[in-house]
Amino acid sequence: MSVLDRVRARPHGPVSVLGRGRARPQAAAGVALTLPVAVFFVVFWLVPFLAAIYLSFTDYEMAGTPNWIGLANYERMFADPGFLNSAWITVVYTVCTVVPTIVLALLVAVPLSKPGRLNRGLRALVMIPAVMPLAATSMVWVIIYSDRGLANTLLGLVGIGPQSWLTSSDLAIWALVVMVVWKSMGLFVIILTAGLQALPGEVYEAAAIDGSGAVTTFTRITLPLLRRTLLFVLVISVAGSMQAFVPAFLLTGGGPADATQVLPYYIWANAFPYEHMGYAAAMGMVLLVAMVIVSALQFGFLKGGDE
């Protein structure tokens, strides 16, 4: 009889029973730990999500019962000037917040990624806007944009008169963009700083030996090696901008003249003040699909770059 056969022939009854006895409490503990999360997921995410899909095919209003109308909400949507205007404003808002935020965050992260006590303190400082509640930040910027606020005070120092930042249809969207860039940049600075600090130093030593300049090193070495981090920042930044609601709600109320009525605000307005829940659910589904497509394109770009 071989060694393997003798091992298999040994009695394992007590050991097996003991193992099963220990496994049962562990399995029960695992179920007990995961059950609250599973219940929370089902009750507060899965059920509302499935309900929204169903309501998007109905004419449901808050005071009535849902009636199945098929694709009527989706057909109405793409003929609705309010929806088309909000979708366009959302595109402009997303591009004008994402691009400056990432560019400025990268420019700040490069020097802050260097070791030193001063840089550690500055990294903590730039995170302050990111950790502030968005509602509180919005209220602070309402004061900054007021007639006698900081923005007009700074303009007065260079001889420019006060501006109606939040009541001008030409300036309101840009006022929101500036606030969101200021609010979001700190988090991305920290993420990009961590990415820069993780880059291999040997590559930069080899580049220095080859006589590579600062600009060449940054464009030919740093940016390609940092591509994964940049795309991660891009994905979360685009997703956040596409579903932004609080700045438009608190600073401008979607105005003036719908100039800051981003799509999430238009969905909310139809869902609650106008009580068109079915139509709002359909617009929410379209926004979700758009976010999924944009994210898939970004991840596709990442995969293509790896090849």
Side-chain angles (χ1 to χ4, degrees):
M1 180 182 293
S2 65
V3 175
L4 182 59
D5 293 334
R6 287 197 299 270
V7 171
R8 289 174 175 172
R10 291 177 182 174
H12 296 285
V15 177
S16 300
V17 171
L18 181 59
R20 287 195 297 270
R22 291 177 177 176
R24 287 169 183 168
Q26 291 177 353
V31 171
L33 291 172
T34 57
L35 186 59
V37 178
V39 172
F40 182 88
F41 172 80
V42 171
V43 173
F44 294 103
W45 192 92
L46 183 60
V47 171
F49 176 68
L50 296 177
I53 294 176
Y54 168 71
L55 291 177
S56 69
F57 296 101
T58 70
D59 62 353
Y60 177 60
E61 298 186 359
M62 296 290 287
T65 56
N67 298 310
W68 185 269
I69 58 174
L71 297 175
N73 283 327
Y74 294 93
E75 295 172 355
R76 169 189 173 186
M77 188 186 316
F78 293 101
D80 179 8
F83 171 79
L84 298 177
N85 176 67
S86 297
W88 171 247
I89 292 174
T90 302
V91 172
V92 173
Y93 174 85
T94 299
V95 173
C96 293
T97 54
V98 169
V99 175
T101 300
I102 294 178
V103 171
L104 292 174
L106 182 59
L107 293 177
V108 174
V110 170
L112 290 187
S113 63
K114 310 301 179 184
R117 291 184 178 179
L118 178 60
N119 282 346
R120 286 198 296 269
L122 291 176
R123 287 196 291 268
L125 187 63
V126 299
M127 271 296 292
I128 292 177
V131 299
M132 291 177 60
L134 185 53
T137 301
S138 300
M139 292 298 97
V140 170
W141 279 85
V142 167
I143 299 173
I144 291 174
Y145 286 136
S146 64
D147 292 339
R148 297 183 180 180
L150 179 61
N152 283 327
T153 300
L154 294 177
L155 290 180
L157 296 178
V158 294
I160 301 177
Q163 304 294 317
S164 301
W165 296 100
L166 301 179
T167 57
S168 169
S169 57
D170 295 326
L171 296 176
I173 188 67
W174 306 114
L176 295 186
V177 166
V178 171
M179 188 211 78
V180 172
V181 170
W182 178 85
K183 173 80 170 86
S184 306
M185 193 179 70
L187 175 62
F188 299 147
V189 167
I190 299 303
I191 294 174
L192 292 171
T193 298
L196 288 166
Q197 291 176 337
L199 300 182
E202 298 82 2
V203 178
Y204 291 96
E205 294 174 2
I209 294 174
D210 292 339
S212 176
V215 176
T216 303
T217 300
F218 181 76
T219 56
R220 299 293 182 86
I221 297 177
T222 302
L223 287 181
L225 291 177
L226 199 63
R227 179 172 45 79
R228 284 180 173 271
T229 306
L230 284 171
L231 282 173
F232 170 74
V233 168
L234 180 64
V235 168
I236 62 175
S237 179
V238 169
S241 295
M242 290 181 69
Q243 56 185 330
F245 168 76
V246 174
F249 179 74
L250 293 179
L251 268 72
T252 63
D258 298 337
T260 59
Q261 187 171 258
V262 290
L263 190 53
Y265 184 91
Y266 190 62
I267 294 173
W268 169 83
N270 276 273
F272 296 102
Y274 302 143
E275 298 186 356
H276 300 156
M277 296 296 293
Y279 186 46
M283 288 189 289
M285 292 299 105
V286 170
L287 178 60
L288 174 63
V289 170
M291 292 175 60
V292 170
I293 291 174
V294 171
S295 298
L297 291 175
Q298 295 173 62
F299 281 109
F301 176 76
L302 171 62
K303 183 178 179 180
D306 288 341
E307 295 175 355

